[in-house]
């Protein structure tokens, strides 16, 4: 049996999850990453995507996050999300509105840096939309 560690998923509105888990799969800014007990210390930004949490009993839960950052230590992981919701509770209309707003931001962008940032965010959001 794999070792467990404490995982907390926090959004600005509330603490969504705080429990001992065996594994968490995060949409890190540099790619998807799996966190397990005794993980090396890392702090990473989180892109919009799905966080999969696997409990000790084998149960799996998925949450949609819209960015943030994760603090990973050998004894635990805390994900501070800009916004997060259980995948079953996702508001598809709100997601579509985020995509539309990002398209408009991309059209209005004047610098190459802003264009790249909005283009990347749009890519993440459309990928997320197809995953849920």
């Amino acid at each position: 049996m794999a070792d467990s560690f404490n995982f907390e998923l926090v959004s600005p509105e509330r603490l969504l999850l705080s429990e001992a888990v065996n594994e968490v799969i995060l949409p890190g800014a540099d790619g998807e990453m799996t966190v397990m007990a005794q993980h090396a210390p890392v702090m990473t930004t989180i892109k919009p995507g799905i966080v999969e949490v696997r409990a000790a009993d084998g149960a799996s839960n998925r949450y949609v996050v819209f960015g943030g950052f994760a603090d990973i230590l050998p004894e635990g992981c805390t994900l501070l999300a800009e916004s997060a919701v259980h995948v079953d509770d996702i508001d598809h209309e709100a997601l579509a509105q985020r995509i539309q707003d990002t398209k408009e931001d991309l059209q209005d962008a004047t610098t190459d840096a802003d264009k790249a940032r909005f283009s990347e965010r749009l890519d993440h959001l459309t990928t997320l939309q197809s995953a849920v």
Side-chain angles (χ1 to χ4, degrees), residues 8-36:
E8 291 188 340
L9 175 56
V10 183
S11 75
E13 299 83 27
R14 65 188 175 108
L15 175 67
L16 278 95
L17 182 69
S18 179
E19 66 182 50
V21 301
N22 283 356
E23 182 178 326
V24 177
I25 301 169
L26 302 172
D30 293 326
E32 193 171 86
M33 63 187 297
T34 300
V35 178
M36 299 178 83

Side-chain angles (χ1 to χ4, degrees), residues 5-6 35-43 70-78:
F5 64 98
N6 190 54
V35 178
M36 299 178 83
Q38 304 306 313
H39 195 288
V42 174
M43 185 170 277
D71 185 21
I72 303 164
L73 298 169
E75 61 277 355
C77 174
T78 301

Side-chain angles (χ1 to χ4, degrees), residues 74-95:
E75 61 277 355
C77 174
T78 301
L79 193 161
L80 300 173
E82 290 175 18
S83 176
V85 63
H86 193 277
V87 75
D88 293 339
D89 299 329
I90 188 72
D91 182 341
H92 293 279
E93 289 180 23
L95 179 56

Side-chain angles (χ1 to χ4, degrees), residues 41-60:
V42 174
M43 185 170 277
T44 184
T45 55
I46 300 296
K47 66 183 182 184
I50 303 288
V51 173
E52 186 170 348
V53 180
R54 296 186 181 150
D57 65 2
S60 180

